[in-house]
Amino acid sequence: MSKKIDRRTVVLDQTTRNKNIQHHLNELERDNYAEVPELEIVSGTMTKPRRTVEVDTSQNRKTKARSKKELLRQLSVKRNLNALLEESKIDQFPPNIPTYLTVAAGKSRFPPRKFCSVCGFLANYSCKTCGMKYCSVKCLETHEETRCMKYTV
Amino acid sequence: MSQSNQIKKIYLLSNLFYIVNIFYIFFNRITFIMLENVLVLDNGAYTIKAEYGTAQQPRVIHNCKIARGKGDKKTFIGDQLNSCTDFSGLYYRLPFEKGYLTNWEVEKGVWDRIFSKEVFNCDPKNTNLLITEPCFNLPNIQRTYDEIIFEAYEFQSYFRTTASWLCIQNDTTSLYNDINFSAKPDCILVVDSGYSFTHIIPFVMNRPVLPAIRRINIGGKLLTNHLKEIVSFRYWDMMDQTYVMNEVKESCCYVSQNFLGDLETCRRNTRNNSILREYVLPDFSRNSQGYIREKKCREESYDQSDEQVLYMNNERFTVPEILFNPSDIGMKQAGIPEVIVESINAVLPEMFPFPVNEVDLQGLFYSNIVLVGGNSLFSGYKSRIEKDLRILAPTDFEIRVGMPENPITYAWKGGNNFITMPEFKEKLVTRSEYLEFGYNICIRKFGFGNETDDLSNE
Ligand SMILES: [Zn+2]
Ligand SMILES: [Zn+2]
């Protein structure tokens, strides 16, 4: 509840406001609201009993790139998209070659519309503290009680 | 009326073609490919659309593992989700992150399941696989596809391409109502709005124009999450109910043709508000489905039941509206109609294999637009795109927007069509080729930019 006091004294600058918007957009990409209890879900389709990995029979085989076991072991190492993007080095491609990084659509030539963050109708005002929009005194009250500074770390 | 039947008929009727085809089969390196040995697998981030080449329709299977956090803590993989009856408190494990395949452990779990006897009874060693990958897939991820398919599963042969390219292997001209001859148009613009994002992809002579492709970072997942969030803030806490909220989205949301007008309507009281819907949330303890109930006027709504009702008012259209105005949620990208114009303007005459004037070129795209992907199913989606394009595009262009009956399985259908063409055999990389030449053979045959060789790089 100490946030309530903060809100009156703190005014977020534009950078922080943009950061909050970005944080919110990232939240919208989540698969699960709550954290996944990791252990309960892994049902062991890829992970073989550890000790068999050490028994290396690949020497006996023909010069195949690697054993299936080794491949699966490599792939069970989790890497997120950011790590894979970095590994792909597509940021170093010549500028005339389109990649994932270059095809994102640009921004609209029309100004953004303003909606009340509480009720979703058109809004004419922004909260002096956090910059979120509201449409009426009633919605401002709700905003101050529940939403204001919610995304601030 | 089916496109693949039409193609097969053309083959059978044209003797010359038939003979050439037989010669082709006997004198080329790849032996005869039976359609029942071809598995067409559109590997979407939300659902897999797959079936053997002999089928007319694919099976649609969830591409995820789901675990229940409470109670029996049961895990469901792919098609097993159909046997799930309690959709509360589910945890999702998806192989895709922002549209790209990053979690192979989950993906292999799902593929193991669907290749098994329970689903497709697939023997990879005798199966030729046609599989999709996202637009601008990363080269290192593409390499992993090759490894998994040839080394872990040992498929006989495979071809990897994008779902949008498969879409245009259908007869897209049949999507428009007007009379036409069914020659394949030189220019087609595909708008693929799926679970992870939306791509606008111009094709010229069956090839993508890579520098003109655009991506909007909005897909069905973001829309469901956004709906979940505003509903939880305004009415009931639904943050943990992704599955239910997705159903609410699919049954209640629509694309508005008059956004500000609809917003005004939503201010009216229950009786005069033609937009308001009352969605009765499912009660899993009693095994009931969610549904839209008859509106109740205030006086009769004395709590006679313990139904949990969600009032869907402006949420019905402000959510899909984000596809048209991403700035509504603070995203600094233009919406679908504006990006269609941007993409068409980015196709330059010099990217063409023959001389063409810029105006003609743009006209061809505006009259051959195809909408695919799950978000196309929002009611009003197509007409809103037409309406907005009419305003944004130069007035003398004809705007023709087509949408297949099923925009989710259209890529699979195109794939099912493509495997009957002689070009399919040319595209396949066999396992023995892979073992001999490694990834390079896949890069060469499938095309580097993932889209079977780009036109502009020639
Ligand atoms: Zn308001
Ligand atoms: Zn505020």
Side-chain angles (χ1 to χ4, degrees):
Chain A
M1 282 296 103
S2 61
K3 271 190 183 158
K4 199 144 196 188
I5 305 156
D6 288 343
R7 193 184 55 74
R8 301 230 168 107
T9 49
V10 176
V11 174
L12 299 185
D13 58 273
Q14 198 53 46
T15 324
T16 319
R17 286 177 185 185
N18 289 342
K19 224 161 85 188
N20 290 345
I21 291 170
Q22 194 50 50
H23 175 74
H24 176 229
L25 290 175
N26 292 342
E27 288 282 296
L28 289 177
E29 287 292 336
R30 287 179 72 146
D31 297 331
N32 297 290
Y33 176 56
E35 281 309 313
V36 182
E38 197 72 21
L39 284 170
E40 286 165 22
I41 285 184
V42 177
S43 56
T45 42
M46 306 259 298
T47 35
K48 294 266 155 76
R50 187 135 302 173
R51 59 200 142 80
T52 59
V53 177
E54 302 304 324
V55 185
D56 188 8
T57 52
S58 60
Q59 296 288 50
N60 314 340
R61 297 211 180 175
K62 298 184 289 183
T63 48
K64 219 192 260 182
R66 91 209 82 181
S67 71
K68 202 186 282 191
K69 219 179 282 170
E70 172 65 12
L71 169 69
L72 296 184
R73 200 188 55 76
Q74 279 177 20
L75 291 175
S76 64
V77 179
K78 285 193 199 67
R79 279 175 304 169
N80 63 17
L81 186 60
N82 277 339
L84 288 162
L85 274 168
E86 205 168 297
E87 185 199 77
S88 73
K89 299 205 162 54
I90 55 170
D91 55 327
Q92 293 161 31
F93 281 16
N96 61 325
I97 295 182
T99 66
Y100 170 78
L101 299 171
T102 64
V103 298
K107 65 177 190 191
S108 172
R109 54 195 171 92
F110 305 106
R113 307 184 287 194
K114 293 175 177 134
F115 298 102
C116 176
S117 62
V118 176
C119 65
F121 289 101
L122 290 175
N124 286 323
Y125 319 102
S126 343
C127 170
K128 289 198 174 56
T129 310
C130 71
M132 283 175 92
K133 310 284 182 293
Y134 66 93
C135 71
S136 61
V137 179
K138 198 171 150 245
C139 284
L140 175 64
E141 271 172 21
T142 315
H143 168 76
E144 288 182 339
E145 277 164 25
T146 57
R147 276 223 150 160
C148 199
M149 307 294 284
K150 190 186 158 196
Y151 298 120
T152 318
V153 185
Chain B
M1 201 39 236
S2 146
Q3 164 67 6
S4 66
N5 277 344
Q6 215 175 317
I7 292 285
K8 280 167 200 157
K9 216 182 291 167
I10 292 166
Y11 277 172
L12 291 171
L13 291 178
S14 154
N15 283 331
L16 181 69
F17 224 111
Y18 194 58
I19 290 162
V20 168
N21 206 11
I22 288 175
F23 267 86
Y24 185 88
I25 289 156
F26 279 99
F27 295 105
N28 263 287
R29 68 214 142 69
I30 300 178
T31 47
F32 190 75
I33 291 173
M34 309 280 278
L35 290 184
E36 63 253 40
N37 293 336
V38 180
L39 184 64
V40 180
L41 197 161
D42 179 10
N43 198 47
Y46 183 56
T47 55
I48 290 174
K49 282 70 67 175
E51 249 308 347
Y52 287 103
T54 42
Q56 292 299 310
Q57 293 290 339
R59 288 182 62 164
V60 181
I61 297 164
H62 281 271
N63 195 359
C64 64
K65 282 189 193 181
I66 291 180
R68 198 152 39 220
K70 57 178 174 62
D72 55 9
K73 298 207 163 107
K74 212 170 150 36
T75 307
F76 302 89
I77 303 173
D79 63 298
Q80 291 175 328
L81 191 61
N82 298 339
S83 65
C84 178
T85 49
D86 179 354
F87 293 98
S88 59
L90 298 179
Y91 291 107
Y92 289 75
R93 295 260 285 160
L94 298 130
F96 283 74
E97 181 191 341
K98 292 185 178 167
Y100 293 88
L101 219 173
T102 58
N103 193 328
W104 287 94
E105 186 164 340
V106 173
E107 189 63 288
K108 186 153 184 305
V110 175
W111 287 359
D112 281 349
R113 166 74 196 169
I114 67 168
F115 296 153
S116 76
K117 278 198 211 77
E118 316 287 327
V119 187
F120 288 117
N121 194 17
C122 174
D123 170 20
K125 287 197 172 76
N126 292 309
T127 305
N128 307 287
L129 180 69
L130 168 52
I131 193 169
T132 61
E133 63 177 335
C135 242
F136 289 107
N137 201 3
L138 305 182
N140 42 342
I141 300 181
Q142 290 178 320
R143 184 179 279 219
T144 313
Y145 275 75
D146 301 345
E147 288 169 343
I148 289 276
I149 285 160
F150 281 132
E151 295 178 39
Y153 288 109
E154 306 187 354
F155 273 94
Q156 182 177 357
S157 72
Y158 110 104
F159 171 43
R160 163 166 52 74
T161 187
T162 61
S164 58
W165 188 82
L166 289 184
C167 284
I168 64 158
Q169 307 313 308
N170 289 292
D171 172 19
T172 58
T173 57
S174 66
L175 300 176
Y176 311 105
N177 298 323
D178 44 30
I179 306 146
N180 53 59
F181 53 97
S182 60
K184 188 164 186 159
D186 288 339
C187 300
I188 302 175
L189 187 103
V190 174
V191 180
D192 184 354
S193 189
Y195 181 68
S196 315
F197 38 42
T198 302
H199 275 103
I200 318 286
I201 307 146
F203 288 93
V204 172
M205 325 268 295
N206 216 20
R207 292 161 170 201
V209 187
L210 299 187
I213 296 177
R214 295 289 182 271
R215 180 189 69 242
I216 305 170
N217 295 326
I218 292 180
K221 179 202 207 170
L222 182 142
L223 299 183
T224 300
N225 278 345
H226 179 67
L227 177 64
K228 201 166 78 172
E229 195 184 277
I230 56 177
V231 159
S232 299
F233 181 66
R234 294 175 194 168
Y235 316 106
W236 301 98
D237 181 7
M238 300 296 289
M239 288 310 280
D240 237 351
Q241 306 285 341
T242 306
Y243 189 91
V244 175
M245 286 318 293
N246 192 54
E247 302 239 297
V248 175
K249 181 186 82 176
E250 287 177 4
S251 59
C252 295
C253 287
Y254 71 96
V255 176
S256 173
Q257 308 300 309
N258 174 8
F259 186 77
L260 295 177
D262 282 0
L263 213 48
E264 272 314 301
T265 307
C266 286
R267 287 186 185 278
R268 299 192 194 141
N269 61 27
T270 312
R271 201 189 290 270
N272 299 315
N273 182 342
S274 56
I275 291 169
L276 183 72
R277 291 288 180 278
E278 301 183 357
Y279 189 91
V280 180
L281 292 168
D283 180 347
F284 294 119
S285 61
R286 279 184 299 180
N287 219 343
S288 72
Q289 294 277 308
Y291 63 97
I292 297 173
R293 76 173 183 195
E294 202 63 40
K295 247 194 283 183
K296 288 181 180 166
C297 292
R298 204 132 284 181
E299 48 270 27
E300 18 172 332
S301 67
Y302 52 88
D303 259 15
Q304 15 77 293
S305 70
D306 49 359
E307 285 174 336
Q308 271 199 322
V309 179
L310 205 58
Y311 292 89
M312 291 287 289
N313 201 16
N314 65 34
E315 299 80 13
R316 288 187 65 205
F317 59 91
T318 55
V319 171
E321 182 69 18
I322 298 169
L323 289 165
F324 295 81
N325 285 292
S327 60
D328 286 358
I329 54 162
M331 191 175 280
K332 290 187 170 59
Q333 286 195 299
I336 291 173
E338 221 184 324
V339 177
I340 290 176
V341 176
E342 188 190 322
S343 169
I344 291 176
N345 288 341
V347 184
L348 303 173
E350 52 264 37
M351 295 170 182
F352 262 62
F354 51 82
V356 61
N357 112 10
E358 195 163 345
V359 177
D360 293 346
L361 180 76
Q362 296 184 353
L364 284 170
F365 280 116
Y366 281 114
S367 58
N368 283 293
I369 297 172
V370 178
L371 309 177
V372 298
N375 297 327
S376 317
L377 289 171
F378 282 122
S379 118
Y381 177 78
K382 177 170 169 266
S383 50
R384 172 70 180 274
I385 289 181
E386 285 168 336
K387 186 173 159 274
D388 285 9
L389 276 181
R390 192 60 283 164
I391 296 164
L392 294 168
T395 45
D396 38 339
F397 287 140
E398 184 199 5
I399 311 265
R400 247 181 11 160
V401 181
M403 189 174 105
E405 210 175 303
N406 188 337
I408 293 174
T409 57
Y410 199 57
W412 183 89
K413 287 210 137 185
N416 196 39
N417 219 353
F418 178 64
I419 59 173
T420 65
M421 302 179 191
E423 291 90 335
F424 175 53
K425 296 176 197 77
E426 293 165 27
K427 289 287 182 193
L428 282 172
V429 169
T430 63
R431 182 156 186 272
S432 52
E433 284 176 311
Y434 173 80
L435 293 178
E436 192 177 342
F437 304 106
Y439 315 117
N440 293 331
I441 184 90
C442 297
I443 294 173
R444 214 182 64 217
K445 279 195 161 184
F446 303 160
F448 175 74
N450 82 12
E451 302 268 2
T452 24
D453 47 7
D454 171 29
L455 195 70
S456 63
N457 282 346
E458 285 191 355

